[in-house]
C-alpha cells in the first residue's frame, strides 16, 4: 500500500469518471432512502395496518436479509462481469421491482407477497451497493482511495437521508393510507432510473474487474464466492479486525433501531419542535444524516492524526457512551443527540473497514469480500433485532436492551484490539496500518 500523501478532495472530484460514479451513487442512494422510508410508513405508520414488535422485526429482516441472500451471487458476479453493465441493468431491474411494490401497497397486499417484492428490490440494491464500492478504486488513484471513499460514502448516505425526508414530506401530501403510501413508494423508482442512465456513460470495462480469477463454470463461481471472500478477508489483518468492530456495531444498532421505532410510534409525544411518530423519525434521520456528514468530513483526518486502530476503538467507545448516557433517559431530545453520535460513530467504522477492503484486498477478490461483508453484518443485525423483538414491550421502553447494546460496543472494542494484537504477534503479516 502506498504511503504517499493523499490528494486533496478537489483533485479527484475534478475527475469526470469519479464524478459520474459519485452521481450514480447519489441517485441510487436517494431512491433507496425514499423507498425504505416509504415502505416503513406503509407498513409501520399506516393507520390501515397494524404492526407489533415481531412484525417490525420481520420488516427489518426484509430490508436487511437481501445482503445475505444476494451476497454469494453478488460477490462472484461482480468479480466476473463488467461492473458498468451490472450497474445499468441492476438499477433498471430495481426500479421495476419498486413499481411492483408500489402496486402491491396500493391494493392492500401484505404478508408474504409484499415482503417478497421488498426482498427482491432490496436484494438488487445491495448488489448495486457492492458494485459501486468495488468500482471506486478504478476511478481514483490508490493514494486517494480512503479520502474518495469517505467523500462518496458520506454524501451517498446523506442523499439516502434526503430521500427519506422526501418520502416523509410527500407522504404528508398524499396521505398515510395505502394509496398515499403507494405513490410515495413509486416515486423512489426515479432513483434507479437516474442511476442507470448515469452508469451508461462509462466506457466499457472501465470499472473492472481488471482480471478475472473465477472458474469457467458460473455456477461454481457463485458457489465458492463466500468461501473465497472469507479467505481473502482472513489474509488481510486490517479487514478481519475491522469485521469484529462492525459486528458489534450492527448488533447494537439493530437493537437501538427497534427500540427507537417503538418509542416513536407508541411512547413519545410531540413536545414543541420535537415530534413523535413518522415526523419524529424524520427528525431523527436528519440528526443521523448530520452525524454521517461530520464523520465523513473528519474520518480521513482522524486516521492520519491518530491511526486507524485508535480511531476505530474511539468510535466504539463514543457509541457506547452515547447509547447509555443519551439513550437511557428515553426522551426525544437526548434520543436525537444519541442518533447523531451513534450513527456518526458507525459511519467512521464503516469508512475504516471500506477503505481496508478497497486498498488491501486485490481487485479480483474485492467484490467477494464486500459481498461477505454485507452478508455477515446484516445477518448479525437481523438476529439482534429479532431477539430484541421477543422481549421488548410494546411501547419500546426497555433500559435492559439499551444496556445490552452498550455492552456490545465495549465488547467490540476489546475484540478489535485483541484481534489486532493477535494478528501482529501470531502471523508473518505486516501489522495493521496505523496511518
Amino acid at each position: 500500500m502506498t504511503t504517499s500523501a493523499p490528494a486533496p478532495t478537489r483533485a479527484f472530484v475534478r475527475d469526470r469518471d469519479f464524478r459520474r460514479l459519485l452521481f450514480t451513487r447519489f441517485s441510487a442512494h436517494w431512491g433507496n432512502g425514499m423507498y425504505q422510508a416509504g415502505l416503513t410508513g406503509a407498513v409501520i405508520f399506516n393507520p390501515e395496518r397494524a404492526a407489533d414488535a415481531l412484525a417490525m422485526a420481520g420488516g427489518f429482516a426484509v430490508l436487511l436479509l437481501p445482503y445475505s441472500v444476494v451476497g454469494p451471487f453478488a460477490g462472484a458476479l461482480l468479480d466476473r462481469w463488467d461492473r458498468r453493465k451490472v450497474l445499468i441493468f441492476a438499477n433498471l431491474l430495481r426500479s421495476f421491482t419498486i413499481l411492483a411494490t408500489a402496486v402491491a401497497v396500493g391494493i392492500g397486499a401484505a404478508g408474504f407477497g409484499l415482503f417478497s417484492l421488498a426482498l427482491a428490490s432490496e436484494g438488487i440494491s445491495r448488489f448495486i451497493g457492492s458494485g459501486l464500492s468495488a468500482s471506486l478504486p478504478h476511478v481514483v488513484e490508490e493514494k486517494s482511495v480512503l479520502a474518495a471513499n469517505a467523500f462518496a460514502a458520506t454524501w451517498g448516505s446523506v442523499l439516502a437521508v434526503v430521500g427519506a425526508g422526501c418520502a416523509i414530506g410527500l407522504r404528508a401530501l398524499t396521505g398515510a393510507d395505502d394509496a398515499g403510501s403507494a405513490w410515495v413508494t413509486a416515486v423512489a423508482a426515479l432513483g434507479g432510473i437516474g442511476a442507470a442512465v448515469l452508469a451508461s456513460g462509462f466506457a466499457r470495462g472501465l470499472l473492472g474487474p481488471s482480471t478475472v480469477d473465477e472458474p469457467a463454470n458460473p455456477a461454481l463461481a457463485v458457489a465458492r464466492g463466500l468461501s473465497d471472500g472469507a479467505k481473502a478477508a482472513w489474509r488481510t489483518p486490517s479487514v478481519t479486525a475491522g469485521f469484529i468492530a462492525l459486528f458489534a456495531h450492527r448488533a447494537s444498532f439493530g437493537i437501538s433501531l427497534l427500540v427507537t421505532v417503538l418509542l416513536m410510534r407508541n411512547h413519545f409525544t410531540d413536545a414543541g419542535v420535537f415530534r413523535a411518530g413518522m415526523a419524529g423519525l424524520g427528525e431523527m434521520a436528519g440528526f443521523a444524516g448530520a452525524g454521517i456528514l461530520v464523520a465523513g468530513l473528519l474520518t480521513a483526518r482522524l486516521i492520519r492524526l491518530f491511526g486507524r486502530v485508535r480511531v476505530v476503538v474511539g468510535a466504539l467507545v463514543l457509541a457506547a457512551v452515547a447509547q447509555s448516557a443519551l439513550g437511557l433517559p428515553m426522551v426525544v431530545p437526548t434520543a436525537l443527540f444519541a442518533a447523531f453520535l451513534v450513527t456518526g460513530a458507525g459511519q467512521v467504522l464503516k469508512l475504516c473497514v471500506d477503505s481496508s477492503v478497497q486498498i488491501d484486498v486485490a481487485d479480483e477478490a474485492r467484490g467477494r469480500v464486500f459481498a461477505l461483508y454485507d452478508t455477515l453484518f446484516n445477518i448479525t443485525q437481523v438476529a439482534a433485532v429479532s431477539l430484541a423483538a421477543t422481549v421488548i414491550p410494546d411501547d419500546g421502553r426497555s433500559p435492559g436492551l439499551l444496556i445490552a447494546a452498550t455492552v456490545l460496543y465495549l465488547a467490540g472494542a476489546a475484540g478489535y484490539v485483541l484481534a489486532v494484537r493477535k494478528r501482529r504477534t501470531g502471523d508473518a503479516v505486516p501489522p495493521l496500518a496505523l496511518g
Side-chain angles (χ1 to χ4, degrees):
M1 184 174 64
T2 182
T3 58
S4 57
T9 300
R10 62 180 178 274
F12 54 77
V13 169
R14 283 199 299 262
D15 184 272
R16 182 182 62 183
D17 291 326
F18 174 79
R19 289 201 308 272
R20 183 173 291 277
L21 189 67
L22 183 68
F23 293 145
T24 302
R25 180 187 290 267
F26 285 176
S27 186
H29 277 53
W30 176 86
N32 193 44
M34 187 153 191
Y35 177 75
Q36 291 192 354
L39 199 60
T40 298
V43 174
I44 298 176
F45 291 90
N46 186 339
E48 297 180 3
R49 302 170 188 254
D52 57 16
L54 287 173
M56 290 182 190
F60 288 133
V62 166
L63 295 177
L64 295 170
L65 280 181
Y67 283 97
S68 308
V69 175
V70 175
F73 297 87
L77 296 178
L78 284 170
D79 291 334
R80 183 184 190 89
W81 291 348
D82 181 353
R83 291 172 189 151
R84 168 185 174 273
K85 291 182 180 178
V86 169
L87 292 177
I88 294 171
F89 291 108
N91 274 293
L92 290 176
L93 183 59
R94 183 165 193 265
S95 294
F96 175 79
T97 60
I98 288 174
L99 293 174
T101 305
V103 171
V105 169
I107 63 176
F112 180 78
L114 178 60
F115 280 3
S116 295
L117 287 169
L119 190 68
S121 180
E122 287 300 290
I124 298 167
S125 171
R126 303 322 170 196
F127 200 100
I128 294 167
S130 293
L132 288 166
S133 295
S135 300
L136 181 67
H138 290 269
V139 296
V140 295
E141 296 180 0
E142 182 179 338
K143 65 182 181 181
S144 298
V145 167
L146 175 61
N149 179 69
F151 186 88
T154 298
W155 286 103
S157 298
V158 169
L159 262 291
V161 172
V162 171
C166 291
I168 293 169
L170 184 58
R171 188 172 183 267
L173 298 176
T174 62
D177 57 4
D178 284 340
S181 298
W183 279 109
V184 174
T185 305
V187 172
L190 295 175
I193 294 171
V197 171
L198 286 164
S200 67
F202 285 111
R204 293 180 181 180
L206 176 68
L207 302 180
S210 301
T211 59
V212 176
D213 179 23
E214 293 285 347
N217 185 330
L220 180 60
V222 169
R224 82 174 200 185
L226 281 181
S227 174
D228 287 351
K231 291 175 183 176
W234 179 250
R235 289 194 296 264
T236 312
S238 60
V239 175
T240 52
F243 275 20
I244 292 172
L246 273 178
F247 270 128
H249 169 65
R250 295 309 289 263
S252 182
F253 186 78
I255 292 170
S256 60
L257 181 62
L258 181 64
V259 170
T260 298
V261 171
L262 282 171
L263 287 171
M264 281 294 183
R265 197 186 73 164
N266 298 330
H267 178 71
F268 289 154
T269 56
D270 293 346
V273 297
F274 302 115
R275 317 300 293 176
M278 193 69 181
L281 282 183
E283 289 184 343
M284 188 157 286
F287 273 77
I292 290 169
L293 180 58
V294 171
L297 294 173
L298 295 181
T299 299
R301 184 176 302 174
L302 290 173
I303 290 175
R304 288 195 296 271
L305 289 174
F306 303 109
R308 189 180 293 156
V309 172
R310 293 186 183 90
V311 170
V312 169
V313 173
L316 288 166
V317 172
L318 176 62
V321 171
Q323 193 79 270
S324 56
L326 298 176
L328 281 174
M330 295 190 193
V331 293
V332 177
T334 60
L336 292 174
F337 284 109
F340 170 79
L341 292 175
V342 169
T343 308
Q347 184 71 1
V348 169
L349 294 173
K350 182 180 186 304
L351 293 174
C352 287
V353 178
D354 279 359
S355 63
S356 296
V357 176
Q358 289 166 329
I359 294 172
D360 301 337
V361 175
D363 184 54
E364 62 269 18
R366 191 177 295 135
R368 280 166 285 180
V369 174
F370 271 115
L372 176 72
Y373 177 161
D374 289 345
T375 299
L376 295 180
F377 297 151
N378 288 281
I379 288 176
T380 300
Q381 187 165 335
V382 169
V385 170
S386 300
L387 288 173
T390 64
V391 297
I392 194 170
D394 289 340
D395 66 356
R397 288 186 58 83
S398 181
L401 283 176
L402 290 184
I403 291 172
T406 300
V407 171
L408 282 171
Y409 275 122
L410 296 176
Y416 176 80
V417 172
L418 288 174
V420 171
R421 289 179 177 174
K422 181 178 179 181
R423 296 307 297 272
R424 284 178 177 173
T425 59
D427 296 344
V429 178
L432 183 64
L434 292 180

